[in-house]
């Protein structure tokens, strides 16, 4: 089967690879000149399956989404309560369906991690991985708010320890306790790793399997989906400059048997053109990456692995000899230059916990969008339109879930048994 994948971020590249591995002919269409150019460009790098399943999903309250569906944002989107740990704690007490969703998300993140490790080992891929996630808690109240999630993780057999400030410093010797560290949760099975490095290498492996890349092409429409025949993708040269050899040349329609939408913030418009409405929201977050101060002869007091400031929801992750700090959520699409106020918060958090650990005057700053749907789980599976499939809306967990989501999707398209229960990820659940 000839499958077109729309979008070459983490979801698109991983999907293309898995589909080609399953024997399909694959063409990836991407409006930018290379892979990982939008939401996947410089994410926080956390592979945080346990944390994501316990506290991040179901994530977004529906009242947040109403203004988006009607075309704009209301101020309620900015109310801190909706992003707070309190909200997540509350979610734990809700319906059995949400418990099933959390279990499915944990299963997907485990699948993802296993596949990521397998691929990394197979080709000795570099991804600057550092093992372990430490969640920093400033008060007993913050710890109490996570209690229900911790009990649930224990039931699921997820290794974790609660340590005091001294125990946290044994794991991260450079950690300052000055900001007032009450306790920390350590998840040895979670990690930090460089998704951009991985996705570039996976692209090369996918190409070796025959995947074709159509960069600088934007999909502007999909046709034929209801007729049963091949699907037609109309393409346009994208906003980036077209190379001189191709300028002015007619861009053909792409005719395929199936389409996978991995277009993140581009997905709602494409689906709408097919009559499918996505209850989705786009928000943006930012990051900076700075070289660590690794001076010969001095004790290394830089971050060792992944750290999350629970109150600020800002992550600190080691990536080789650099640190990546990420967080700060704003509604809407922001790509590239981050808001100065958000960056100040990120710098402050790094400086609070690891004072002087990085050359922040040499940091690279970035802001990127992420798409999420009402319940915070990704969309993986059929769209309801014949031949059109989804692997999108990964929200704040797209790196954690990328490899597993792609395997799940490839199995479903190939009519093989899905590795994880597909129901919690199906578009149907939102109807
Ligand atoms: C600041 C920040 C920090 C994050 N931290 C973490 C983290 O620590 N751990 C974690 O697991 N996740 C994290 N995430 C989330 C993760 O990065 C995303 O979920 C993931 O990158 C989404 O990948 P994607 O492929 O779905 O989307 P994208 O990477 O946005 O890719 C979509 C692609 O589709 C293309 N496209 C869209 N429409 C069209 C069209 N019509 N035609 C052609 N091409 C099109 C776009 O150009 C884009 O390249 C973070 C995200 C951000 C922004």
């Amino acid at each position: 089967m000839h499958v077109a994948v729309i979008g070459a971020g983490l979801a698109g590249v991983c999907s293309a690879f898995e589909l080609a591995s399953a024997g399909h002919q694959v063409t990836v269409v991407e409006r930018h000149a290379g892979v990982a150019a939008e939401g996947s460009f410089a994410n926080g790098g956390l592979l945080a399956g346990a944390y994501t399943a316990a506290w991040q999903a179901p994530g977004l309250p529906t009242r947040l989404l109403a203004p988006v569906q009607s075309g704009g944002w209301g101020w309620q989107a900015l109310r801190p309560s909706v992003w707070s740990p309190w909200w997540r704690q509350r979610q734990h007490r809700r319906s059995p369906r949400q418990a099933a969703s959390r279990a499915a998300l944990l299963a997907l993140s485990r699948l993802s991690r296993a596949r990521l490790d397998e691929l990394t080992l197979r080709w000795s891929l570099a991804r600057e991985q550092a093992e372990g996630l430490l969640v920093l808690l400033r008060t007993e109240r913050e710890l109490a708010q996570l209690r229900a999630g911790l009990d649930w993780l224990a039931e699921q057999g997820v290794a974790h320890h609660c340590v005091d400030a001294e125990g946290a410093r044994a794991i991260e010797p450079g950690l300052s306790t000055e900001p007032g560290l009450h306790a920390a949760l350590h998840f040895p099975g979670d990690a930090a790793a460089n998704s951009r490095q991985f996705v570039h290498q996976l692209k090369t492996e996918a190409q070796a399997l025959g995947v074709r890349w159509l960069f600088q092409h934007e999909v502007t429409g999909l046709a034929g989906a209801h007729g049963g025949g091949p699907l037609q993708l109309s393409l346009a040269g994208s906003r980036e400059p077209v190379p001189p050899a191709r300028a002015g040349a007619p861009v053909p329609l792409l005719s395929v048997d199936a389409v996978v939408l991995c277009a993140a913030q581009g997905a709602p418009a494409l689906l709408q053109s097919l009559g499918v409405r996505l209850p989705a929201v786009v928000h943006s977050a930012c990051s900076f990456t700075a070289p660590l101060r690794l001076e010969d002869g001095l004790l290394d007091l830089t971050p060792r692995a992944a750290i999350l400031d629970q109150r600020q929801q800002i992550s600190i992750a080691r990536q080789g000899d650099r640190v990546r700090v990420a967080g700060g959520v704003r509604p809407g699409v922001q790509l590239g230059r981050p808001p100065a106020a958000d960056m100040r918060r990120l710098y402050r958090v790094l400086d609070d916990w690891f004072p002087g650990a990085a050359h922040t005057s040499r940091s690279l700053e970035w802001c990127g969008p992420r798409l999420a749907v009402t319940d915070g789980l990704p969309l993986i599976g059929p769209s309801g339109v014949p031949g059109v499939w989804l692997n999108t809306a990964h929200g704040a967990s797209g790196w954690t879930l990328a490899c597993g989501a792609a395997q799940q999707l490839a199995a479903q398209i190939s009519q093989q048994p899905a590795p994880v229960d597909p129901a919690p990820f199906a578009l149907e659940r939102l109807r």
Side-chain angles (χ1 to χ4, degrees):
M1 184 156 64
H2 186 186
V3 185
V5 174
I6 305 178
L10 273 164
V13 175
C14 293
S15 299
F17 171 79
E18 295 296 347
L19 287 164
S21 300
H24 299 292
Q25 182 191 344
V26 182
T27 303
V28 181
V29 188
E30 166 57 54
R31 59 189 173 194
H32 291 282
V35 302
E38 290 201 4
S40 306
F41 184 78
N43 64 32
L46 264 52
L47 292 167
Y51 186 90
T52 299
W55 296 291
Q56 224 156 268
L60 292 168
T62 29
R63 70 193 159 93
L64 234 176
L65 293 154
V68 179
Q69 285 163 352
S70 62
W73 272 90
W75 279 103
Q76 63 266 50
L78 301 175
R79 276 171 52 171
S81 63
V82 299
W83 304 106
S84 74
W86 169 83
W87 177 264
R88 291 179 195 138
Q89 171 82 351
R90 207 184 92 142
Q91 299 291 74
H92 272 276
R93 298 195 212 104
R94 298 183 94 188
S95 70
R97 190 175 142 199
Q98 289 180 337
S101 303
R102 265 198 304 278
L105 199 64
L106 185 63
L108 189 67
S109 72
R110 283 173 162 160
L111 178 75
S112 200
R113 187 63 193 278
R115 185 60 163 167
L116 179 63
D117 291 346
E118 183 199 334
L119 297 178
T120 305
L121 208 72
R122 191 190 298 172
W123 299 301
S124 308
L125 301 183
R127 55 182 159 115
E128 299 183 323
Q129 184 150 326
E131 298 300 332
L133 166 68
L134 197 62
V135 180
L136 306 177
L137 308 167
R138 293 165 205 252
T139 59
E140 177 59 33
R141 189 157 173 263
E142 281 179 25
L143 178 58
Q145 284 171 335
L146 300 186
R147 196 64 77 186
L150 286 175
D151 294 346
W152 178 77
L153 286 173
E155 281 163 27
Q156 305 299 314
V158 174
H160 63 273
H161 324 279
C162 184
V163 291
D164 60 12
E166 208 173 306
R169 279 177 62 96
I171 296 163
E172 285 286 349
L175 188 69
S176 165
T177 46
E178 281 291 298
L181 181 63
H182 171 71
L185 301 173
H186 187 229
F187 297 93
D190 284 351
N194 187 334
S195 69
R196 191 166 153 77
Q197 197 175 31
F198 172 78
V199 89
H200 273 270
Q201 291 172 338
L202 193 65
K203 182 211 164 212
T204 308
E205 299 303 335
Q207 202 155 318
L209 292 174
V211 173
R212 185 172 158 242
W213 305 88
L214 273 182
F215 288 117
Q216 294 187 311
H217 284 80
E218 179 151 14
V219 177
T220 53
L222 283 167
H226 296 282
L231 294 157
Q232 304 276 351
L233 276 69
S234 13
L235 307 176
S238 68
R239 288 163 293 175
E240 291 184 5
V242 178
R246 300 225 309 269
V251 185
L253 282 174
L254 184 62
S255 188
V256 292
D257 305 305
V259 172
V260 184
L261 278 175
C262 299
Q265 59 278 11
L270 287 171
L271 278 171
Q272 200 159 11
S273 73
L274 297 170
V276 178
R277 198 139 178 267
L278 209 57
V281 56
V282 183
H283 58 273
S284 298
C286 31
S287 71
F288 74 82
T289 313
L292 288 167
R293 270 184 217 279
L294 300 166
E295 321 279 346
D296 281 346
L298 288 184
L299 193 62
D300 179 2
L301 292 178
T302 59
R304 300 239 160 129
I307 295 116
L308 181 72
D309 181 320
Q310 172 67 12
R311 184 180 296 173
Q312 299 287 338
Q313 288 292 294
I314 289 175
S315 62
I316 300 171
R318 185 164 187 130
Q319 302 212 325
D321 57 4
R322 299 174 307 158
V323 66
R324 169 84 42 88
V325 182
V329 178
R330 276 178 188 258
V333 178
Q334 301 205 9
L335 185 59
R337 196 189 168 99
D342 292 8
M343 291 314 297
R344 277 198 295 278
R345 271 186 63 215
L346 301 195
Y347 286 118
R348 198 178 323 122
V349 165
L350 180 66
D351 204 46
D352 278 354
W353 295 114
F354 293 91
H359 297 281
T360 46
S361 59
R362 286 163 37 201
S363 66
L364 299 171
E365 300 178 350
W366 174 79
C367 190
R370 357 188 243 213
L371 182 83
V373 292
T374 41
D375 63 4
L377 268 71
L379 286 169
I380 309 165
S383 70
V385 175
V388 180
W389 297 76
L390 306 172
N391 181 11
T392 195
H394 290 254
S397 314
W399 174 216
T400 302
L401 302 176
C403 294
Q407 271 188 302
Q408 175 87 356
L409 172 97
Q412 287 180 264
I413 292 189
S414 309
Q415 296 187 339
Q416 297 295 316
V420 174
D421 177 10
F425 307 114
L427 181 60
E428 269 306 298
R429 74 183 193 266
L430 300 171
R431 299 221 164 106

